Amino acid sequence: MDKKRKRSVTRGIILAILAIAIGYTIYGAVTKDKIEIVQAGAQAPDFEVVDLNGEKHRLKDYEGKGVVLNFWGTWCEPCEREFPAMTRQYTAFANKGVQIIAVNFAQSEFEVKKYVANMGMNFPVAIDKTKSVFTAYSIGPLPTSIFIKPDGTVDRIITGEMSEEKIAQYMESIKPE
């Protein structure tokens, strides 16, 4: 009789824990704030990042310029293939009012600095240590590039590797008049 009672109490506790967990999950799903997914035509969320040289970059500081936010990681092979073209196009468009800011996915500063030096990247590179910019822009797969017009609206979001021709075409589309 004693074993049956212990088993019964144990089962009751397990069922109560399961009921609480299911209730919490349902409550969380119903009351959760909806995350705004950034889309073309929407106002780009402002952010602040610090690049590898210690300089701050805020989106609103680039008002009147086109901005390319490129989200990447050192392990990302398509990112690696894309960076030489990005570097060349940055050189071509920097004096035409288009800025690239490369935002790394929370990797170590040592790792990122070594990678940037090896790749010869000539535009600001920041590490999103808290992943707040990745979250604000709902970034999934890498690379993802967000092209922002001079008025601060999102022109387009490109997920995956781009050819140099596409990079040039998209940078042309966000160049100030």
Side-chain angles (χ1 to χ4, degrees), residues 20-171:
I20 290 169
I22 291 169
Y24 179 76
T25 303
I26 292 170
Y27 173 78
V30 170
T31 61
K32 184 173 91 173
D33 289 337
K34 290 189 178 177
I35 295 174
E36 293 266 333
I37 305 245
V38 176
Q39 297 177 351
Q43 193 66 30
D46 195 21
F47 62 87
E48 182 176 295
V49 291
V50 178
D51 70 20
L52 297 176
N53 299 323
E55 294 178 38
K56 286 184 182 178
H57 298 270
R58 289 191 70 175
L59 183 60
K60 69 180 183 182
D61 293 341
Y62 291 100
E63 208 169 285
K65 289 186 171 196
V67 176
V68 180
L69 292 180
N70 178 262
F71 294 90
W72 66 284
T74 60
W75 70 89
C76 167
E77 291 180 22
C79 302
E80 189 172 337
R81 291 190 299 266
E82 190 177 72
F83 277 135
M86 283 266 189
T87 301
R88 286 188 295 273
Q89 291 308 311
Y90 178 69
T91 301
F93 279 90
N95 293 331
K96 298 177 182 177
V98 177
Q99 177 68 48
I100 294 177
I101 302 171
V103 184
N104 173 270
F105 186 73
Q107 291 183 267
S108 76
E109 193 166 324
F110 172 78
E111 196 175 9
V112 173
K113 280 184 174 182
K114 183 178 167 191
Y115 184 91
V116 167
N118 287 341
M119 294 299 293
M121 295 157 70
N122 59 352
F123 40 84
V125 175
I127 302 170
D128 189 9
K129 293 176 182 165
T130 63
K131 301 178 189 121
S132 61
V133 183
F134 272 76
T135 301
Y137 282 87
S138 307
I139 300 302
L142 300 178
T144 294
S145 295
I146 300 184
F147 292 81
I148 302 169
K149 296 178 187 177
D151 67 0
T153 59
V154 175
D155 184 55
R156 69 188 74 226
I157 300 167
I158 305 296
T159 302
E161 184 179 351
M162 295 178 286
S163 67
E164 186 156 359
E165 293 74 28
K166 288 290 182 191
I167 294 169
Q169 177 187 338
Y170 299 153
M171 288 177 83

